[in-house]
């Protein structure tokens, strides 16, 4: 496993070795705020209220955005579940994500965590409606394809189409597939957080897709995952039917 961080973008580069294991564990987390709070402070109290709000707000639709408190003590957050995840699994993921952030980023005023099933983010800065360009990571399948150039072109073709499809879908979510041969199919997924506009969703996804040469050249599967959007492709189905 190898990782690196650069300013202003945070990139984590590592291999996808065991998909089943990752699905039950956090993929990545960033404690991105340099500011701290104490548990009995007004911000700490507002953060607890925010978590409780998101536990209720997110599962029915798969997305929730909220703020609690005012001024410098205001806590802002969002949670997003993958578009095919059930309400119960969504709630389970959101609750676990907030708990895990409390363990891994104690007293930090801003943090974000990703699972296969959900994303959870909070901050003392109101980020609603803005593309998050600061929190991003890559994942890829360690196996490579035999003929990279046409494969890479097909990956971009599929994901670019899904970028357009997701940005015009009310849930900002799209999946699709592309037949590569009689025995091989490429599967893809794109998704944005629903606080963005349709145009910003597409911009976020297109920018992420432009990272393909950096993250996933010739790889049989890969992801670029950020605080506002993500994509994934594989040579096997990646969502529940």
């Amino acid at each position: 496993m190898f990782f690196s961080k650069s300013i202003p973008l945070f990139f984590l580069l590592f291999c996808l070795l065991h998909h089943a294991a990752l699905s039950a564990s956090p993929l990545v987390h960033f404690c991105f705020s340099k500011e701290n709070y104490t548990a009995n402070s007004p911000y700490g109290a507002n953060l607890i209220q925010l978590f409780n709000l998101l536990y209720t707000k997110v599962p029915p639709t798969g997305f929730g955005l909220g703020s609690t408190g005012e001024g410098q003590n205001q806590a802002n957050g969002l949670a997003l579940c993958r578009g095919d995840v059930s309400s119960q699994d969504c709630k389970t993921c959101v609750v676990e994500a907030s708990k895990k952030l409390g363990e891994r980023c104690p007293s930090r005023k801003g943090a974000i965590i990703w699972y296969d099933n959900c994303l959870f983010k909070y901050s003392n800065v109101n980020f609603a409606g803005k593309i998050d360009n600061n929190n991003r990571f890559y994942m890829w399948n360690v196996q490579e394809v035999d003929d990279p150039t046409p494969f890479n072109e097909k990956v971009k073709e599929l994901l670019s189409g899904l970028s357009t499809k997701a940005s015009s879908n009310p849930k900002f979510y799209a999946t699709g597939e592309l037949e590569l041969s009689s025995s091989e199919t490429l599967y893809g997924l794109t998704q944005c957080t629903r606080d963005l506009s349709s145009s910003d969703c597409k911009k976020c996804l297109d920018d992420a897709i432009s990272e393909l040469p950096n993250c996933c050249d010739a790889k049989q599967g890969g992801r670029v995952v950020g605080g506002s959007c993500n994509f994934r492709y594989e040579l096997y189905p990646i969502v529940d039917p």
Side-chain angles (χ1 to χ4, degrees):
M1 184 181 296
F2 168 80
F3 71 93
S4 66
K5 287 189 176 182
S6 61
I7 303 299
L9 295 180
F10 297 91
F11 296 104
L12 179 59
L13 312 176
F14 65 96
C15 301
L16 180 56
L17 297 175
H18 198 304
H19 180 266
L22 287 176
S23 65
S25 305
L27 301 176
V28 180
H29 75 280
F30 296 141
C31 311
F32 59 77
S33 176
K34 296 181 179 179
E35 298 184 58
N36 292 327
Y37 71 93
T38 57
N40 58 354
S41 67
Y43 184 80
N46 289 333
L47 197 58
I48 292 173
Q49 291 183 28
L50 174 68
F51 288 179
N52 289 333
L53 171 66
L54 294 177
Y55 296 160
T56 303
K57 194 172 183 179
V58 177
T61 65
F63 176 74
L65 178 73
S67 297
T68 55
E70 298 179 349
Q72 63 182 5
N73 293 315
Q74 181 172 287
N76 310 280
L78 66 74
L80 173 72
C81 291
R82 204 177 68 205
D84 63 308
V85 173
S86 69
S87 294
Q88 182 56 51
D89 287 345
C90 178
K91 182 175 182 179
T92 298
C93 191
V94 169
V95 171
E96 175 63 20
S98 62
K99 176 184 176 184
K100 194 64 68 174
L101 275 183
E103 296 172 356
R104 298 190 175 189
C105 302
S107 303
R108 300 293 284 273
K109 284 192 173 182
I112 185 170
I113 193 168
W114 294 267
Y115 286 72
D116 265 337
N117 282 353
C118 72
L119 148 71
F120 193 100
K121 176 183 177 182
Y122 73 85
S123 176
N124 61 320
V125 177
N126 191 346
F127 53 78
K130 302 172 185 176
I131 298 175
D132 182 354
N133 289 314
N134 294 321
N135 300 295
R136 181 182 290 180
F137 68 95
Y138 303 157
M139 296 179 69
W140 61 78
N141 191 311
V142 295
Q143 298 186 47
E144 297 190 351
V145 297
D146 294 329
D147 197 356
T149 299
F151 180 79
N152 290 342
E153 291 173 353
K154 289 297 184 182
V155 170
K156 186 173 182 180
E157 177 187 340
L158 174 62
L159 293 175
S160 294
L162 292 178
S163 171
T164 300
K165 186 177 177 181
S167 63
S168 60
N169 184 304
K171 292 183 69 174
F172 281 178
Y173 172 77
T175 61
E177 57 190 68
L178 188 63
E179 187 174 298
L180 302 179
S181 69
S182 59
S183 60
E184 193 169 56
T185 302
L186 180 67
Y187 300 86
L189 176 156
T190 55
Q191 186 171 25
C192 299
T193 57
R194 284 177 243 161
D195 58 314
L196 299 183
S197 66
S198 177
S199 60
D200 279 347
C201 173
K202 189 170 191 310
K203 181 180 187 306
C204 185
L205 286 169
D206 289 346
D207 286 348
I209 293 167
S210 72
E211 295 290 333
L212 276 168
N214 300 323
C215 80
C216 314
D217 183 49
K219 302 300 183 182
Q220 289 188 11
R223 312 185 197 187
V224 172
V225 185
S228 295
C229 69
N230 72 89
F231 74 73
R232 182 179 180 187
Y233 74 91
E234 300 284 357
L235 288 176
Y236 55 83
I238 54 180
V239 298
D240 293 334

